[in-house]
Amino acid sequence: MATKQKSVWYCGECGHKQAKWGGQCPQCEKWNTLHEELELPTSARRFDAQALTSSKPLRLSEVSLTETPRIRTHMREFDQLIGGGIVPGSLTLVGGDPGIGKSTLMLQLANSLVKQGLVVLYVCGEESVDQTTMRAKRLGIDSANLYLLNETNFASIKTQIEQLDPDAVIVDSIQIIYKSEITSAPGSVSQVREAATEFMYLSKGRSIAIFLIGHVTKAGEIAGPRVLEHLVDTVLYFEGEKQHDYRMIRVVKNRFGPTDEIAVFQMQGKGLVEIDNPSQIFLEERMKGIVGSVIIPAIEGSRPFLIETQALVTETVFPAPSRRCTGLDQNRLALLLAVLEKRMGYQLFRCDVFVSIAGGMRILEPAIDLGVLIAIASSLRNRRVDPETTVVGEVGLGGELRSVSRLESRIKEAIHMGFKRCVIPKRNLKGLSADLHNKITIRGVEIVDEAVDILIN
């Protein structure tokens, strides 16, 4: 007699399971995120890829530490991004907007691996083998060790992996893979979670490096339950505007290396090209001496680079002025405008304010506050900032300037790019090497008023 399957509800945000409909998830307290699905019977086989060998507890003193083996991809930017190379047995999740270059990067990565004699299986679930081959030919990829598989059933994919025994597997995408034992549609919470768990056991049990390409939501987060990001070892996010050629890959999780590292690529006809000097690329179209333009030394991960911030302030006849920004946080912009109105007496409530980080970059660190504020003040007063000066500093609600981290790396990058002056928080002056003062003029300021008087003539 067949057992009746029960309904359960999964949260689309955190993956929490509950036995009855509650409207609100008790785990993350989000509303309207619960999805009804049928619970698997206990007799169903789950996690077939799990290793059969059982582990035993070890004393901490008995554990011998060895250096993590890595596979170099010979893509210098990518190797540096993930901590020195691909770790066998690792599970990596790659997310980004549609058409931003995820599949292109994965094909180039597969090409780098097969050139070293490794075997790579590319599971193209969303495209046919012919479509993937056309993209590979455009990228100049042609190797006998690169295998293409157009399949979405996990059981069939697992069978091919066991027969081929590849060194790396690329799954495009995890949202299209399904297990026949689960009644829900591909891409649902349970399907994504179960498939990702199976791939995790495959990667660990057979020591295969597996890359999962994931879709993103309108908010820019990877679609599916948050547990998907907890399962994997590394999470890579593609950032950048499709209208621009530049792409930035950010590491938000890495069990084998540092997080928040970035790598910058340029999309060209033959694929993604590594950018060794992002500062030069971001400043090559800069027009010196224009009003509302400020250069800021920013840091993402371990890499310093210079970015151009542009601001445009115009009077408006509408009762509700516009506040638009590209490349920085909207709430941070509102804070800086409030500081300018309160501490400097600027009447910005009558003006539309537009701020943009040139080049399609998105910078979230607070060290760019002073540069954004100076760009707005420059546009409002219609006076330019010295084009050979860089500005860095975090702005507090009292109009004070707070110190920033890794200032020497920022200043050295400004010196390398030929800048003559740098305005920094006064608290950062202590501890700077005398060698920097000999190469660039450094000015420390304490409050916003002082910085505006110095930079805007």
Side-chain angles (χ1 to χ4, degrees):
M1 180 177 178
T3 58
K4 183 179 180 181
Q5 290 180 303
K6 298 180 180 179
S7 294
V8 294
W9 283 264
Y10 289 97
C11 176
E13 289 288 334
C14 65
H16 178 73
K17 182 180 78 171
Q18 59 187 49
K20 61 180 180 178
W21 171 258
Q24 182 185 21
C25 175
Q27 183 79 11
C28 63
E29 299 182 350
K30 295 289 183 68
W31 289 87
N32 300 323
T33 61
L34 300 181
H35 302 275
E36 182 183 8
E37 295 178 1
L38 294 178
E39 190 175 30
L40 283 175
T42 55
S43 59
R45 295 183 61 193
R46 300 178 65 190
F47 309 136
D48 295 334
Q50 185 173 6
L52 298 178
T53 57
S54 59
S55 59
K56 297 180 180 180
L58 295 175
R59 292 186 178 91
L60 181 63
S61 58
E62 297 176 349
V63 179
S64 58
L65 295 179
T66 58
E67 185 178 355
T68 304
R70 294 182 183 270
I71 303 172
R72 297 282 182 175
T73 65
H74 300 302
M75 299 172 65
R76 193 175 63 85
E77 292 293 317
F78 188 84
D79 285 338
Q80 181 180 351
L81 178 72
I82 60 177
I86 300 173
V87 177
S90 62
L91 185 63
T92 302
L93 179 63
V94 182
D97 294 332
I100 201 169
K102 302 184 296 295
S103 300
T104 300
L105 176 67
M106 289 295 100
L107 276 175
Q108 291 182 241
L109 177 65
N111 186 43
S112 298
L113 295 178
V114 297
K115 284 183 178 179
Q116 304 177 45
L118 303 179
V119 178
V120 179
L121 175 64
Y122 191 102
V123 181
C124 44
E126 296 186 350
E127 295 179 337
S128 65
V129 172
D130 293 339
Q131 290 174 310
T132 306
T133 303
M134 289 173 60
R135 179 184 288 114
K137 296 294 184 182
R138 178 173 57 83
L139 298 175
I141 301 173
D142 186 11
S143 176
N145 286 338
L146 176 58
Y147 293 83
L148 303 180
L149 174 65
N150 179 239
E151 183 59 70
T152 57
N153 188 302
F154 176 79
S156 300
I157 296 173
K158 176 175 176 288
T159 301
Q160 296 299 327
I161 291 176
E162 291 175 344
Q163 293 178 357
L164 187 61
D165 193 22
D167 298 288
V169 175
I170 299 171
V171 180
D172 188 4
S173 68
I174 184 61
Q175 276 86 7
I176 204 66
I177 305 301
Y178 73 95
K179 291 190 68 178
S180 57
E181 297 89 349
I182 303 175
T183 57
S184 57
S188 62
V189 174
S190 59
Q191 287 281 12
V192 171
R193 185 185 59 252
E194 300 280 326
T197 305
E198 291 279 11
F199 280 117
M200 181 191 68
Y201 286 127
L202 268 176
S203 65
K204 306 302 179 185
R206 304 182 68 89
S207 190
I208 301 173
I210 298 181
F211 294 85
L212 307 178
I213 296 179
H215 296 163
V216 295
T217 62
K218 292 181 179 179
E221 298 178 349
I222 294 179
R226 181 65 69 176
V227 70
L228 179 61
E229 298 185 35
H230 296 311
L231 281 173
V232 301
D233 299 310
T234 307
V235 180
L236 306 179
Y237 270 98
F238 257 90
E239 297 179 3
E241 301 291 337
K242 288 190 290 186
Q243 294 78 14
H244 293 83
D245 293 336
Y246 304 111
R247 305 286 189 268
M248 185 173 70
I249 307 177
R250 186 189 304 272
V251 178
V252 297
K253 175 186 178 181
N254 192 358
R255 290 174 177 162
F256 308 110
T259 58
D260 289 330
E261 285 287 344
I262 67 163
V264 181
F265 294 83
Q266 183 177 14
M267 179 64 78
Q268 297 183 359
K270 292 187 176 181
L272 292 166
V273 178
E274 300 171 278
I275 302 298
D276 296 328
N277 189 354
S279 298
Q280 183 178 358
I281 295 296
F282 294 142
L283 299 182
E284 66 179 0
E285 297 184 14
R286 171 198 178 204
M287 184 179 295
K288 294 184 178 181
I290 64 172
V291 173
S293 174
V294 175
I295 304 301
I296 306 172
I299 282 188
E300 290 291 336
S302 62
R303 168 175 292 182
F305 55 90
L306 304 183
I307 58 172
E308 180 186 8
T309 300
Q310 295 180 334
L312 178 63
V313 181
T314 60
E315 291 189 4
T316 180
V317 296
F318 298 102
S322 296
R323 302 286 189 261
R324 306 293 184 189
C325 62
T326 303
L328 66 152
D329 184 35
Q330 184 81 32
N331 297 326
R332 201 70 187 176
L333 175 62
L335 181 149
L336 297 177
L337 294 177
V339 170
L340 275 175
E341 290 184 336
K342 181 69 174 179
R343 305 302 172 189
M344 298 294 298
Y346 290 173
Q347 297 182 350
L348 292 169
F349 61 89
R350 301 177 179 175
C351 303
D352 292 333
V353 179
F354 306 93
V355 181
S356 174
I357 304 295
M361 294 285 291
R362 179 167 178 82
I363 308 297
L364 299 179
E365 66 161 342
I368 69 172
D369 287 353
L370 183 58
V372 173
L373 187 146
I374 294 297
I376 296 172
S378 169
S379 180
L380 178 67
R381 297 175 59 175
N382 200 29
R383 295 181 181 178
R384 71 183 184 91
V385 178
D386 180 18
E388 294 187 345
T389 299
T390 62
V391 182
V392 63
E394 179 183 354
V395 177
L397 292 178
E400 78 281 7
L401 293 183
R402 299 178 177 272
S403 58
V404 299
S405 62
R406 302 183 56 194
L407 184 62
E408 286 201 8
S409 299
R410 303 174 193 263
I411 296 177
K412 288 178 180 178
E413 182 67 15
I415 295 172
H416 175 69
M417 295 303 298
F419 286 83
K420 306 298 182 184
R421 285 166 290 278
C422 186
V423 176
I424 66 172
K426 194 170 185 178
R427 294 175 178 85
N428 275 119
L429 285 174
K430 186 183 298 183
L432 284 180
S433 62
D435 185 52
L436 291 178
H437 290 275
N438 297 330
K439 297 179 179 179
I440 190 172
T441 302
I442 302 175
R443 183 74 177 270
V445 293
E446 286 186 309
I447 56 176
V448 170
D449 310 52
E450 185 181 356
V452 172
D453 292 340
I454 292 173
L455 293 167
I456 303 177
N457 300 326

